[in-house]
Amino acid sequence: MTGTSTIGVIAIFVVDFLSLVYVSHLHQIDLTAAVGFATQVLFYPVSINIGLTIGVTALVARALGAGDRDRARRLAASGLVLSCLFSAVVASVVLIYSRQILSGLGAVGPLRDVAERFLQITLPANVAFAAGMVLSGILRAVGDARRAMYVTLAGGIVTGIIDPILIFGLHFGVYGAAISTVVSRLVFLGVGYWGAVRVHNLVGRPSVGALMDDLRPVMNIALPAMATNLATPVANSYVLHVFAKFGQAAIAATTVTDRVVPVAFGVIFALTGAVGPILGQNLGAGLLERVRRTLTTSFVMTAVYVLSVWFILWVCSSLIASLFDATAEARTYIEFFCTFGVSAWLFIGFLFVANASFNNLGYPILSLVFNWGRASLGTIPFVTIGAAYGGVEGGQLGIAFGAAIFGLSALATAYAVSGRLAKRHALP
């Protein structure tokens, strides 16, 4: 599940990575910074989409694990409708207030105008993106990791082909990257529909009655998951606001590292997406020992992978800065992140795995607590103090310290939850 999901996830992240490389080679640092601001705003509707996907995937996986396929089809249909409705509302709100949001992040003048136009192109496609993500989650719920991979892989391949054509060939510049984002989201929807509906017939016919019945169970998981996922963009927005005070080089460097991280740690993103349905099915089947074993395997895999990638990023830090045509100041920030700042991802990885377990084992409120704890207490004071005394580099170290506190605490809590479920299951 993780291997196939990794391929699909990294395909998208690699395309985003290359897209920023193309934009950076337009040799205008303000365009790179503008993409960074726009991408940060896009994290908000995407976080909502992820929360909805978590809710639908968890319930469909449980129904399938309990052998109730009809209920799984009904939940899938209701979840798909809900995801379209929520994503449309969220995208509309963000689009209306995009200028104010960008100003709050620190974007001003022509840089803000470019970021705003970027959002005007990409945000309307959020509905298709949300539906495609839910359909991919349904495929993971049924255990079809290969077709779930096809959803993101197809979008990544298509975008990778048209990105340079739009940016350089048709001279659309930075807006070519926005158009390719729209195309990829439409491809997500098409491939997801083919796998979940045409191949597996796992999406029933939606109805108002079923939608009303399923609204509460879906939202019981999705709302805490949405709130949980919103913590990350809120924390990132605060970091971007703090770093914006150090100039465009700091924003450009942060934009680069934000593109490097998903590519470097795509396995962790994929692992947390893949482990959820596995935990959900084993919980539905009452196999609590497998739940605990899955947790242990996931935490060990996270630690080994992050340490390995950290070494690679340290070795390649100068190459990465050169690839993005970074200025001398931006290069300093990028190389520092690859050497020290990336350490945060060891603990963020633990937090991601723990959150996946909380969402799928019936304790979504814990995900909310830990993610917002890291976003607030684990980010604001550490980044503020770190940046005040050590500039951008100090802020990066602050992120790592905060992540360590909450990542290790979440790991311990995940084992406590699995132990509590095992005791409850053992009672007559």
Side-chain angles (χ1 to χ4, degrees):
M1 287 285 283
T2 301
T4 50
S5 183
T6 297
I7 295 172
V9 168
I10 288 185
I12 295 301
F13 292 152
V14 165
V15 169
D16 288 343
F17 179 91
L18 292 175
S19 181
L20 188 64
V21 170
Y22 298 144
V23 170
S24 66
H25 282 272
L26 293 171
H27 303 297
Q28 297 182 54
I29 193 171
D30 58 328
L31 293 181
T32 304
V35 171
F37 280 115
T39 301
Q40 183 55 54
V41 175
L42 286 173
F43 280 163
Y44 287 93
V46 170
S47 296
I48 298 293
N49 296 347
I50 293 172
L52 288 163
T53 301
I54 288 171
V56 177
T57 303
L59 290 176
V60 172
R62 288 183 196 175
L64 290 172
D68 193 346
R69 186 177 179 84
D70 289 339
R71 176 171 170 76
R73 294 182 73 248
R74 193 190 78 188
L75 286 164
S78 298
L80 198 58
V81 172
L82 288 171
S83 71
C84 290
L85 293 174
F86 267 83
S87 60
V89 171
V90 171
S92 299
V93 171
V94 174
L95 190 59
I96 292 170
Y97 294 102
S98 59
R99 192 169 187 84
Q100 292 89 331
I101 296 171
L102 288 167
S103 297
L105 291 175
V108 295
L111 187 151
R112 181 182 57 194
D113 295 337
V114 172
E116 186 177 12
R117 284 193 290 270
F118 192 99
L119 291 172
Q120 290 170 349
I121 296 171
T122 54
L123 277 170
N126 187 55
V127 176
F129 192 32
M133 291 175 69
V134 169
L135 290 166
S136 178
I138 292 169
L139 288 168
R140 287 198 303 272
V142 76
D144 192 345
R146 180 169 55 89
R147 287 190 176 87
M149 172 189 72
Y150 290 162
V151 176
T152 49
L153 184 60
I157 291 173
V158 170
T159 310
I161 293 172
I162 67 173
D163 223 4
I165 295 174
L166 293 171
I167 294 173
F168 298 115
L170 297 179
H171 305 290
F172 288 160
V174 68
Y175 304 119
I179 295 170
S180 68
T181 298
V182 173
V183 173
S184 72
R185 294 181 174 185
L186 294 174
V187 172
F188 277 13
L189 175 58
V191 178
Y193 177 87
W194 168 73
V197 179
R198 307 298 294 179
V199 176
H200 285 285
N201 191 26
L202 257 179
V203 181
R205 186 180 296 276
S207 68
V208 175
L211 185 64
M212 297 307 296
D213 289 340
D214 296 333
L215 177 62
R216 183 172 180 177
V218 170
M219 287 298 123
N220 280 344
I221 299 176
L223 284 176
M226 283 189 277
T228 298
N229 282 286
L230 282 171
T232 298
V234 167
N236 290 344
S237 294
Y238 181 78
V239 171
L240 195 64
H241 175 75
V242 171
F243 287 177
K245 300 173 183 177
F246 296 93
Q248 289 189 1
I251 296 299
T254 302
T255 304
V256 169
T257 56
D258 283 346
R259 285 296 197 279
V260 170
V261 160
V263 175
F265 299 109
V267 170
I268 304 302
F269 289 94
L271 171 63
T272 54
V275 75
I278 296 171
L279 291 169
Q281 282 206 18
N282 281 297
L283 176 64
L287 301 174
L288 277 304
E289 177 55 36
R290 288 189 180 182
V291 169
R292 194 173 186 86
R293 190 162 62 235
T294 300
L295 277 177
T296 299
T297 302
S298 299
F299 285 128
V300 171
M301 181 177 177
T302 297
V304 172
Y305 182 81
V306 171
L307 291 173
S308 301
V309 171
W310 184 0
F311 175 76
I312 294 172
L313 289 176
W314 171 61
V315 171
C316 299
S317 59
S318 179
L319 177 63
I320 292 170
S322 298
L323 183 63
F324 285 93
D325 197 29
T327 62
E329 186 179 0
R331 173 183 290 272
T332 300
Y333 299 144
I334 294 170
E335 292 181 352
F336 186 89
F337 173 82
C338 292
T339 304
F340 300 105
V342 75
S343 61
W345 275 89
L346 176 62
F347 309 106
I348 293 174
F350 291 160
L351 182 61
F352 281 5
V353 172
N355 283 343
S357 71
F358 300 147
N359 287 328
N360 287 273
L361 297 179
Y363 292 82
I365 194 66
L366 288 176
S367 295
L368 182 66
V369 170
F370 277 107
N371 251 29
W372 277 101
R374 186 184 77 86
S376 54
L377 297 177
T379 299
I380 294 174
F382 291 100
V383 171
T384 303
I385 295 171
Y389 288 96
V392 174
E393 295 95 331
Q396 291 178 358
L397 290 179
I399 294 171
F401 280 117
I405 294 171
F406 284 89
L408 293 174
S409 299
L411 182 153
T413 305
Y415 278 110
V417 165
S418 67
R420 181 175 180 180
L421 288 172
K423 290 180 180 177
R424 183 186 303 171
H425 183 73
L427 292 175

